[in-house]
Amino acid sequence: MKPRVFVTRRVYPAALAILQEHCVVDYQDSHDTLDAARLVRRLQHADAVVCQLTDPLTAAVIAAAPKLRGIHQIAVGHDNIDVAAATARGIVVTNTPGVLTEATADLTWALLLAAARRVPEAERFLRAGKWQRWDVDLLCGADVSGRTLGLVGFGRIGQAVARRALGFGMRVLYASRSETPAAVEQELRAQRVPLDLLLKQSDFVSLHVPLRDETRHLIGVEQLCQMKSTAFLINTARGPVVDERALVAALEEGLIAGAGLDVFETEPTVTPGLLQLPNVVLLPHVGSAVTSVRSLMCALAANDCVALLTGERPKHPVNPQVLAPLENE
Ligand code: NAP
Ligand code: GLV
């Protein structure tokens, strides 16, 4: 009998074709998100689930899915999944790293440049019919070239952002728990420093850590106070890495110059105050939103799902320790 897979939300067709060849697919062909109760109902007979970052794969949901063997997330971040609960049940969790690195680094730069050079504000000005003439002080922004970029988290995306900074002649600092090979530091001309030094010295602070207990509100009042009053905060990691209420206050009080945000603490709700601030660029979590990239992400998740269900090793396990006993069977 073919295994059963639940696909929680609309995906690119390539993923469905891969799944349908080997599995019976229960497909929710819609952009609607399922709450925990509806998710549990659809997971009753599922051997695996292909899910998205909007799906709450909590410990309770996992506990209520009796046959589940695989959770296959179409994203690199997987903070919506209780990986510890899955691991305890012997459920393999996979994600989609790598294919979205360049697209997300590009978007980080789009935000950085847009915030520094006031691009959305300037466009709003023009569209509102306010443009009268070239003025020497019209919509002047901040320098980017030659300034200091501070990267918090120096994994795949952090390093891809640093690579782009070479073209802007920037000094690159990074804060990370672990060391980066000297060859990579040299190639990217990046220097590892403690977080507080990075905050004090950077003109642009860009966040690239996963959301975990220890990174929740990593940037709060204390950290914002350490930043230069001319500096910008860019967040394409996860909303809760920043204390958004503290950020609104910092922007209102001029503690920092501006921000560029692709992610928010309680998506899709935007913290009160942010929408009113002209010095913030706000995007609806579109870091990896390139058609070819999203299609690849869907295919990667589907391939790992099929691999697990057909006895092969999935390529991107988040909890590889679960696979070891399976491989010895
Ligand atoms: P990655 O390669 O795993 O890099 C994350 C880095 O963060 C690692 O190098 C990790 O190194 C470091 N880190 C973890 N905890 C830290 C801490 N407390 N302080 C400093 N560094 C820490 O992941 P990635 O592919 O670059 O993706 C990063 C995140 O970006 C994802 O988890 C996701 O949330 C987000 N993302 C967002 C979008 C979007 O659409 N906006 C798209 C893709 C990804 P150590 O563990 O050695 O410290
Ligand atoms: C998107 O946010 C991802 O984590 O892939």
Side-chain angles (χ1 to χ4, degrees):
M1 213 169 57
K2 281 184 171 182
R4 300 179 75 91
V5 176
F6 176 45
V7 180
T8 60
R9 298 183 62 205
R10 186 162 297 157
V11 292
Y12 276 94
L16 284 182
I18 292 165
L19 292 169
Q20 277 161 348
E21 203 182 325
H22 301 273
C23 315
V24 175
V25 181
D26 174 14
Y27 180 34
Q28 212 230 158
D29 184 9
S30 139
H31 286 308
D32 288 347
T33 48
L34 298 180
D35 60 18
R38 287 166 74 204
L39 197 50
V40 164
R41 275 202 292 280
R42 297 290 283 267
L43 286 175
Q44 284 316 293
H45 304 289
D47 295 286
V49 59
V50 173
C51 59
Q52 302 184 23
L53 53 81
T54 42
D55 296 316
L57 268 301
T58 59
V61 168
I62 290 169
K67 296 178 67 188
L68 206 60
R69 286 189 278 147
I71 300 176
H72 307 282
Q73 167 96 332
I74 303 174
V76 63
H78 48 77
D79 42 277
N80 58 308
I81 303 170
D82 192 323
V83 177
T87 306
R89 270 267 316 272
I91 296 170
V92 177
V93 179
T94 66
N95 67 344
T96 60
V99 291
L100 44 61
T101 297
E102 303 304 327
T104 310
D106 288 345
L107 198 278
T108 303
W109 269 93
L111 265 180
L112 188 157
L113 289 168
R117 296 298 305 273
R118 304 171 64 181
V119 173
E121 199 184 338
E123 211 223 17
R124 286 194 294 270
F125 175 86
L126 182 149
R127 283 183 189 270
K130 293 182 182 166
W131 189 27
Q132 302 292 324
R133 67 200 153 250
W134 188 93
D135 290 332
V136 74
D137 56 355
L138 179 65
L139 288 157
C140 288
D143 267 332
V144 176
S145 295
R147 296 291 166 156
T148 298
L149 173 64
L151 300 167
V152 183
F154 203 55
R156 288 171 293 251
I157 297 171
Q159 290 182 23
V161 171
R163 189 162 295 113
R164 285 153 178 74
L166 291 170
F168 286 84
M170 295 178 95
R171 173 179 177 232
V172 176
L173 306 176
Y174 73 92
S176 163
R177 291 181 308 180
S178 56
E179 285 184 17
T180 303
V184 175
E185 282 191 342
Q186 260 168 25
E187 182 207 331
L188 300 177
R189 280 189 250 130
Q191 184 192 352
R192 185 166 174 232
V193 294
L195 180 60
D196 55 352
L197 196 67
L198 179 148
L199 294 169
K200 281 179 194 145
Q201 295 200 353
S202 297
D203 299 297
F204 299 91
V205 174
S206 188
L207 307 178
H208 302 288
V209 291
L211 176 61
R212 305 261 188 275
D213 286 345
E214 65 274 16
T215 57
R216 193 173 291 275
H217 285 194
L218 184 67
I219 305 297
V221 180
E222 195 188 318
Q223 291 71 26
L224 291 161
C225 285
Q226 289 177 306
M227 287 175 65
K228 296 182 186 181
S229 60
T230 51
F232 292 79
L233 179 71
I234 310 298
N235 189 7
T236 58
R238 281 290 182 270
V241 174
V242 176
D243 177 347
E244 246 168 37
R245 283 154 65 115
L247 176 63
V248 171
L251 290 162
E252 283 172 350
E253 290 163 23
L255 273 183
I256 65 170
L261 308 175
D262 182 45
V263 288
F264 300 88
E265 273 202 80
T266 47
E267 295 179 8
T269 305
V270 177
T271 293
L274 276 177
L275 288 173
Q276 286 69 42
L277 287 164
N279 52 342
V280 194
V281 182
L282 305 166
L283 297 180
H285 202 149
V286 289
S288 63
V290 172
T291 308
S292 59
V293 171
R294 288 283 171 84
S295 186
L296 272 174
M297 289 162 64
C298 292
L300 222 60
N303 275 324
D304 265 357
C305 177
V306 167
L308 179 78
L309 296 176
T310 57
E312 302 291 320
R313 187 183 169 84
K315 284 206 170 72
H316 302 292
V318 166
N319 55 350
Q321 65 272 37
V322 174
L323 287 168
L326 296 178
E327 281 161 352
N328 294 333
E329 271 173 14

